[in-house]
Every structure is written in structure tokens, then in C-alpha cells.
mmCIF file of all heavy atoms in Angstrom:
data_model
loop_
_atom_site.group_PDB
_atom_site.id
_atom_site.type_symbol
_atom_site.label_atom_id
_atom_site.label_comp_id
_atom_site.label_asym_id
_atom_site.label_seq_id
_atom_site.Cartn_x
_atom_site.Cartn_y
_atom_site.Cartn_z
ATOM 1 N N ASN A 1 124.636 -19.123 213.785
ATOM 2 C CA ASN A 1 125.898 -19.499 213.171
ATOM 3 C C ASN A 1 125.956 -18.872 211.782
ATOM 4 O O ASN A 1 125.257 -19.296 210.866
ATOM 5 C CB ASN A 1 126.033 -21.021 213.084
ATOM 6 C CG ASN A 1 127.407 -21.440 212.606
ATOM 7 O OD1 ASN A 1 127.785 -21.152 211.473
ATOM 8 N ND2 ASN A 1 128.170 -22.093 213.464
ATOM 9 N N LEU A 2 126.803 -17.866 211.637
ATOM 10 C CA LEU A 2 126.803 -17.070 210.413
ATOM 11 C C LEU A 2 127.561 -17.711 209.269
ATOM 12 O O LEU A 2 127.576 -17.181 208.159
ATOM 13 C CB LEU A 2 127.366 -15.681 210.701
ATOM 14 C CG LEU A 2 126.612 -14.865 211.755
ATOM 15 C CD1 LEU A 2 127.191 -13.462 211.852
ATOM 16 C CD2 LEU A 2 125.116 -14.814 211.463
ATOM 17 N N SER A 3 128.174 -18.869 209.510
ATOM 18 C CA SER A 3 128.765 -19.610 208.396
ATOM 19 C C SER A 3 127.717 -20.420 207.657
ATOM 20 O O SER A 3 127.851 -20.661 206.454
ATOM 21 C CB SER A 3 129.873 -20.547 208.906
ATOM 22 O OG SER A 3 130.947 -19.817 209.425
ATOM 23 N N MET A 4 126.673 -20.827 208.368
ATOM 24 C CA MET A 4 125.634 -21.655 207.761
ATOM 25 C C MET A 4 124.333 -20.893 207.529
ATOM 26 O O MET A 4 123.621 -21.167 206.559
ATOM 27 C CB MET A 4 125.380 -22.888 208.623
ATOM 28 C CG MET A 4 126.539 -23.859 208.643
ATOM 29 S SD MET A 4 126.029 -25.472 209.271
ATOM 30 C CE MET A 4 127.520 -26.417 208.979
ATOM 31 N N MET A 5 124.015 -19.960 208.397
ATOM 32 C CA MET A 5 122.769 -19.207 208.289
ATOM 33 C C MET A 5 123.004 -17.897 207.542
ATOM 34 O O MET A 5 124.120 -17.394 207.477
ATOM 35 C CB MET A 5 122.203 -18.928 209.682
ATOM 36 C CG MET A 5 121.961 -20.187 210.518
ATOM 37 S SD MET A 5 121.541 -19.836 212.240
ATOM 38 C CE MET A 5 119.857 -19.225 212.067
ATOM 39 N N TYR A 6 121.938 -17.372 206.980
ATOM 40 C CA TYR A 6 121.949 -16.067 206.295
ATOM 41 C C TYR A 6 122.913 -16.043 205.111
ATOM 42 O O TYR A 6 123.493 -15.005 204.785
ATOM 43 C CB TYR A 6 122.260 -14.934 207.288
ATOM 44 C CG TYR A 6 121.245 -14.855 208.404
ATOM 45 C CD1 TYR A 6 121.553 -15.342 209.673
ATOM 46 C CD2 TYR A 6 119.965 -14.344 208.182
ATOM 47 C CE1 TYR A 6 120.626 -15.307 210.704
ATOM 48 C CE2 TYR A 6 119.025 -14.301 209.202
ATOM 49 C CZ TYR A 6 119.359 -14.794 210.458
ATOM 50 O OH TYR A 6 118.427 -14.762 211.465
ATOM 51 N N ASN A 7 123.054 -17.173 204.442
ATOM 52 C CA ASN A 7 123.905 -17.210 203.257
ATOM 53 C C ASN A 7 123.287 -16.461 202.075
ATOM 54 O O ASN A 7 123.897 -16.377 201.005
ATOM 55 C CB ASN A 7 124.202 -18.655 202.871
ATOM 56 C CG ASN A 7 125.370 -19.229 203.657
ATOM 57 O OD1 ASN A 7 126.330 -19.729 203.077
ATOM 58 N ND2 ASN A 7 125.317 -19.158 204.983
ATOM 59 N N GLU A 8 122.096 -15.905 202.280
ATOM 60 C CA GLU A 8 121.480 -15.083 201.240
ATOM 61 C C GLU A 8 122.244 -13.775 201.034
ATOM 62 O O GLU A 8 122.072 -13.105 199.994
ATOM 63 C CB GLU A 8 120.024 -14.756 201.621
ATOM 64 C CG GLU A 8 119.138 -15.968 201.867
ATOM 65 C CD GLU A 8 119.107 -16.402 203.335
ATOM 66 O OE1 GLU A 8 120.085 -16.139 204.080
ATOM 67 O OE2 GLU A 8 118.103 -17.016 203.732
ATOM 68 N N VAL A 9 123.045 -13.386 202.017
ATOM 69 C CA VAL A 9 123.760 -12.117 201.946
ATOM 70 C C VAL A 9 125.238 -12.352 202.242
ATOM 71 O O VAL A 9 125.611 -13.374 202.837
ATOM 72 C CB VAL A 9 123.174 -11.076 202.931
ATOM 73 C CG1 VAL A 9 121.741 -10.743 202.547
ATOM 74 C CG2 VAL A 9 123.258 -11.575 204.361
ATOM 75 N N PRO A 10 126.131 -11.424 201.863
ATOM 76 C CA PRO A 10 127.560 -11.567 202.169
ATOM 77 C C PRO A 10 127.810 -11.628 203.676
ATOM 78 O O PRO A 10 126.989 -11.156 204.472
ATOM 79 C CB PRO A 10 128.183 -10.310 201.550
ATOM 80 C CG PRO A 10 127.215 -9.877 200.500
ATOM 81 C CD PRO A 10 125.852 -10.246 201.019
ATOM 82 N N PHE A 11 128.946 -12.171 204.057
ATOM 83 C CA PHE A 11 129.227 -12.463 205.463
ATOM 84 C C PHE A 11 129.023 -11.253 206.374
ATOM 85 O O PHE A 11 128.341 -11.358 207.401
ATOM 86 C CB PHE A 11 130.653 -12.987 205.611
ATOM 87 C CG PHE A 11 131.035 -13.282 207.034
ATOM 88 C CD1 PHE A 11 130.520 -14.399 207.694
ATOM 89 C CD2 PHE A 11 131.900 -12.447 207.719
ATOM 90 C CE1 PHE A 11 130.864 -14.672 209.016
ATOM 91 C CE2 PHE A 11 132.258 -12.717 209.040
ATOM 92 C CZ PHE A 11 131.733 -13.833 209.684
ATOM 93 N N LEU A 12 129.584 -10.119 206.044
ATOM 94 C CA LEU A 12 129.499 -8.970 206.949
ATOM 95 C C LEU A 12 128.078 -8.421 207.080
ATOM 96 O O LEU A 12 127.778 -7.703 208.040
ATOM 97 C CB LEU A 12 130.453 -7.867 206.499
ATOM 98 C CG LEU A 12 131.946 -8.184 206.667
ATOM 99 C CD1 LEU A 12 132.796 -7.031 206.141
ATOM 100 C CD2 LEU A 12 132.301 -8.490 208.122
ATOM 101 N N GLU A 13 127.196 -8.755 206.155
ATOM 102 C CA GLU A 13 125.799 -8.332 206.259
ATOM 103 C C GLU A 13 124.961 -9.294 207.102
ATOM 104 O O GLU A 13 123.812 -8.981 207.449
ATOM 105 C CB GLU A 13 125.191 -8.198 204.861
ATOM 106 C CG GLU A 13 125.839 -7.113 204.009
ATOM 107 C CD GLU A 13 125.251 -7.035 202.612
ATOM 108 O OE1 GLU A 13 124.087 -7.460 202.432
ATOM 109 O OE2 GLU A 13 125.948 -6.549 201.700
ATOM 110 N N ARG A 14 125.526 -10.443 207.429
ATOM 111 C CA ARG A 14 124.771 -11.444 208.183
ATOM 112 C C ARG A 14 124.570 -11.038 209.643
ATOM 113 O O ARG A 14 123.625 -11.484 210.291
ATOM 114 C CB ARG A 14 125.468 -12.806 208.086
ATOM 115 C CG ARG A 14 125.496 -13.354 206.673
ATOM 116 C CD ARG A 14 126.327 -14.616 206.546
ATOM 117 N NE ARG A 14 126.622 -14.880 205.134
ATOM 118 C CZ ARG A 14 127.439 -15.817 204.691
ATOM 119 N NH1 ARG A 14 128.070 -16.601 205.559
ATOM 120 N NH2 ARG A 14 127.644 -15.975 203.402
ATOM 121 N N PHE A 15 125.445 -10.200 210.166
ATOM 122 C CA PHE A 15 125.309 -9.752 211.546
ATOM 123 C C PHE A 15 124.005 -8.970 211.722
ATOM 124 O O PHE A 15 123.233 -9.223 212.657
ATOM 125 C CB PHE A 15 126.519 -8.894 211.938
ATOM 126 C CG PHE A 15 127.816 -9.650 211.983
ATOM 127 C CD1 PHE A 15 128.534 -9.896 210.819
ATOM 128 C CD2 PHE A 15 128.323 -10.119 213.187
ATOM 129 C CE1 PHE A 15 129.741 -10.591 210.854
ATOM 130 C CE2 PHE A 15 129.520 -10.822 213.238
ATOM 131 C CZ PHE A 15 130.230 -11.060 212.071
ATOM 132 N N ALA A 16 123.767 -8.025 210.832
ATOM 133 C CA ALA A 16 122.532 -7.242 210.900
ATOM 134 C C ALA A 16 121.315 -8.114 210.664
ATOM 135 O O ALA A 16 120.272 -7.946 211.321
ATOM 136 C CB ALA A 16 122.578 -6.108 209.880
ATOM 137 N N ALA A 17 121.420 -9.065 209.741
ATOM 138 C CA ALA A 17 120.287 -9.955 209.463
ATOM 139 C C ALA A 17 119.928 -10.773 210.699
ATOM 140 O O ALA A 17 118.744 -10.942 211.027
ATOM 141 C CB ALA A 17 120.633 -10.876 208.295
ATOM 142 N N ALA A 18 120.949 -11.278 211.397
ATOM 143 C CA ALA A 18 120.690 -12.054 212.616
ATOM 144 C C ALA A 18 120.078 -11.181 213.703
ATOM 145 O O ALA A 18 119.124 -11.584 214.386
ATOM 146 C CB ALA A 18 121.987 -12.689 213.108
ATOM 147 N N ALA A 19 120.604 -9.974 213.873
ATOM 148 C CA ALA A 19 120.058 -9.068 214.881
ATOM 149 C C ALA A 19 118.612 -8.707 214.567
ATOM 150 O O ALA A 19 117.768 -8.632 215.472
ATOM 151 C CB ALA A 19 120.922 -7.815 214.962
ATOM 152 N N ASN A 20 118.309 -8.505 213.294
ATOM 153 C CA ASN A 20 116.934 -8.168 212.903
ATOM 154 C C ASN A 20 115.957 -9.288 213.226
ATOM 155 O O ASN A 20 114.765 -9.045 213.437
ATOM 156 C CB ASN A 20 116.875 -7.846 211.406
ATOM 157 C CG ASN A 20 117.499 -6.505 211.070
ATOM 158 O OD1 ASN A 20 117.616 -5.637 211.936
ATOM 159 N ND2 ASN A 20 117.897 -6.329 209.822
ATOM 160 N N ASP A 21 116.447 -10.526 213.270
ATOM 161 C CA ASP A 21 115.591 -11.660 213.619
ATOM 162 C C ASP A 21 115.574 -11.935 215.121
ATOM 163 O O ASP A 21 114.976 -12.930 215.561
ATOM 164 C CB ASP A 21 116.062 -12.915 212.876
ATOM 165 C CG ASP A 21 115.554 -12.955 211.443
ATOM 166 O OD1 ASP A 21 114.509 -12.333 211.162
ATOM 167 O OD2 ASP A 21 116.202 -13.615 210.601
ATOM 168 N N GLY A 22 116.220 -11.100 215.896
ATOM 169 C CA GLY A 22 116.149 -11.227 217.351
ATOM 170 C C GLY A 22 117.318 -11.924 218.003
ATOM 171 O O GLY A 22 117.343 -12.063 219.233
ATOM 172 N N PHE A 23 118.293 -12.370 217.241
ATOM 173 C CA PHE A 23 119.461 -12.994 217.849
ATOM 174 C C PHE A 23 120.280 -11.946 218.596
ATOM 175 O O PHE A 23 120.452 -10.815 218.143
ATOM 176 C CB PHE A 23 120.336 -13.666 216.779
ATOM 177 C CG PHE A 23 119.796 -14.959 216.266
ATOM 178 C CD1 PHE A 23 119.152 -15.020 215.033
ATOM 179 C CD2 PHE A 23 119.917 -16.127 217.009
ATOM 180 C CE1 PHE A 23 118.648 -16.222 214.544
ATOM 181 C CE2 PHE A 23 119.417 -17.327 216.530
ATOM 182 C CZ PHE A 23 118.779 -17.383 215.299
ATOM 183 N N LYS A 24 120.822 -12.359 219.736
ATOM 184 C CA LYS A 24 121.676 -11.494 220.539
ATOM 185 C C LYS A 24 123.134 -11.932 220.506
ATOM 186 O O LYS A 24 123.996 -11.250 221.073
ATOM 187 C CB LYS A 24 121.189 -11.484 221.991
ATOM 188 C CG LYS A 24 119.747 -11.029 222.168
ATOM 189 C CD LYS A 24 119.548 -9.601 221.677
ATOM 190 C CE LYS A 24 118.113 -9.126 221.916
ATOM 191 N NZ LYS A 24 117.881 -7.776 221.327
ATOM 192 N N ALA A 25 123.411 -13.064 219.878
ATOM 193 C CA ALA A 25 124.770 -13.602 219.849
ATOM 194 C C ALA A 25 124.999 -14.346 218.547
ATOM 195 O O ALA A 25 124.050 -14.825 217.914
ATOM 196 C CB ALA A 25 125.006 -14.533 221.035
ATOM 197 N N VAL A 26 126.276 -14.447 218.167
ATOM 198 C CA VAL A 26 126.635 -15.135 216.929
ATOM 199 C C VAL A 26 127.893 -15.973 217.135
ATOM 200 O O VAL A 26 128.678 -15.752 218.058
ATOM 201 C CB VAL A 26 126.879 -14.141 215.759
ATOM 202 C CG1 VAL A 26 125.606 -13.401 215.405
ATOM 203 C CG2 VAL A 26 128.011 -13.165 216.091
ATOM 204 N N GLU A 27 128.041 -16.938 216.245
ATOM 205 C CA GLU A 27 129.256 -17.730 216.119
ATOM 206 C C GLU A 27 129.456 -17.971 214.629
ATOM 207 O O GLU A 27 128.578 -17.675 213.823
ATOM 208 C CB GLU A 27 129.118 -19.065 216.871
ATOM 209 C CG GLU A 27 127.996 -19.947 216.321
ATOM 210 C CD GLU A 27 127.912 -21.309 216.987
ATOM 211 O OE1 GLU A 27 128.251 -21.416 218.175
ATOM 212 O OE2 GLU A 27 127.502 -22.264 216.294
ATOM 213 N N TYR A 28 130.601 -18.500 214.255
ATOM 214 C CA TYR A 28 130.868 -18.865 212.861
ATOM 215 C C TYR A 28 132.156 -19.657 212.850
ATOM 216 O O TYR A 28 132.832 -19.805 213.884
ATOM 217 C CB TYR A 28 130.975 -17.629 211.952
ATOM 218 C CG TYR A 28 131.673 -16.454 212.579
ATOM 219 C CD1 TYR A 28 133.053 -16.438 212.727
ATOM 220 C CD2 TYR A 28 130.944 -15.369 213.058
ATOM 221 C CE1 TYR A 28 133.697 -15.375 213.326
ATOM 222 C CE2 TYR A 28 131.578 -14.296 213.667
ATOM 223 C CZ TYR A 28 132.958 -14.305 213.798
ATOM 224 O OH TYR A 28 133.592 -13.251 214.405
ATOM 225 N N LEU A 29 132.533 -20.167 211.684
ATOM 226 C CA LEU A 29 133.740 -20.976 211.602
ATOM 227 C C LEU A 29 135.000 -20.133 211.762
ATOM 228 O O LEU A 29 135.801 -20.359 212.665
ATOM 229 C CB LEU A 29 133.771 -21.742 210.277
ATOM 230 C CG LEU A 29 132.711 -22.825 210.086
ATOM 231 C CD1 LEU A 29 132.860 -23.472 208.712
ATOM 232 C CD2 LEU A 29 132.803 -23.884 211.181
ATOM 233 N N PHE A 30 135.194 -19.150 210.878
ATOM 234 C CA PHE A 30 136.461 -18.414 210.851
ATOM 235 C C PHE A 30 136.222 -16.941 210.529
ATOM 236 O O PHE A 30 135.430 -16.622 209.640
ATOM 237 C CB PHE A 30 137.395 -18.996 209.774
ATOM 238 C CG PHE A 30 137.485 -20.497 209.798
ATOM 239 C CD1 PHE A 30 136.904 -21.249 208.776
ATOM 240 C CD2 PHE A 30 138.129 -21.165 210.823
ATOM 241 C CE1 PHE A 30 136.969 -22.636 208.787
ATOM 242 C CE2 PHE A 30 138.196 -22.538 210.847
ATOM 243 C CZ PHE A 30 137.621 -23.285 209.832
ATOM 244 N N PRO A 31 136.950 -16.043 211.192
ATOM 245 C CA PRO A 31 136.850 -14.617 210.881
ATOM 246 C C PRO A 31 138.007 -14.089 210.050
ATOM 247 O O PRO A 31 138.051 -12.896 209.738
ATOM 248 C CB PRO A 31 136.898 -13.974 212.273
ATOM 249 C CG PRO A 31 137.852 -14.863 213.034
ATOM 250 C CD PRO A 31 137.646 -16.272 212.477
ATOM 251 N N TYR A 32 138.942 -14.927 209.652
ATOM 252 C CA TYR A 32 140.258 -14.457 209.223
ATOM 253 C C TYR A 32 140.304 -13.819 207.837
ATOM 254 O O TYR A 32 141.327 -13.244 207.456
ATOM 255 C CB TYR A 32 141.273 -15.606 209.316
ATOM 256 C CG TYR A 32 141.224 -16.292 210.662
ATOM 257 C CD1 TYR A 32 140.765 -17.609 210.772
ATOM 258 C CD2 TYR A 32 141.577 -15.613 211.818
ATOM 259 C CE1 TYR A 32 140.683 -18.233 212.009
ATOM 260 C CE2 TYR A 32 141.499 -16.223 213.056
ATOM 261 C CZ TYR A 32 141.049 -17.542 213.151
ATOM 262 O OH TYR A 32 140.959 -18.149 214.380
#
């Protein structure tokens, strides 16, 4: 969940951070 996890980096950088940790899927509150 990229709204709560990886808040160490800006939102658009959280996708790569999650993938680097082995996640294959993401969710979050809002993309707008």
C-alpha cells in the first residue's frame, strides 16, 4: 500500500521501492 508504505520517498518513487523489495502488486488511496 503506497499511501502508507515507503513514505521515505515521494509517491512516484514508491513503485520502484516496492518492486525492489519483491512486491508484484500495489494499491493506494488515490491516484488523482
Side-chain angles (χ1 to χ4, degrees):
N1 187 295
L2 301 185
S3 294
M4 292 196 173
M5 303 171 73
Y6 300 103
N7 276 234
E8 303 92 334
V9 296
F11 179 73
L12 291 178
E13 296 178 24
R14 296 173 196 172
F15 294 82
N20 287 338
D21 279 335
F23 284 102
K24 302 299 183 185
V26 295
E27 62 176 31
Y28 38 75
L29 293 179
F30 313 109
Y32 310 112

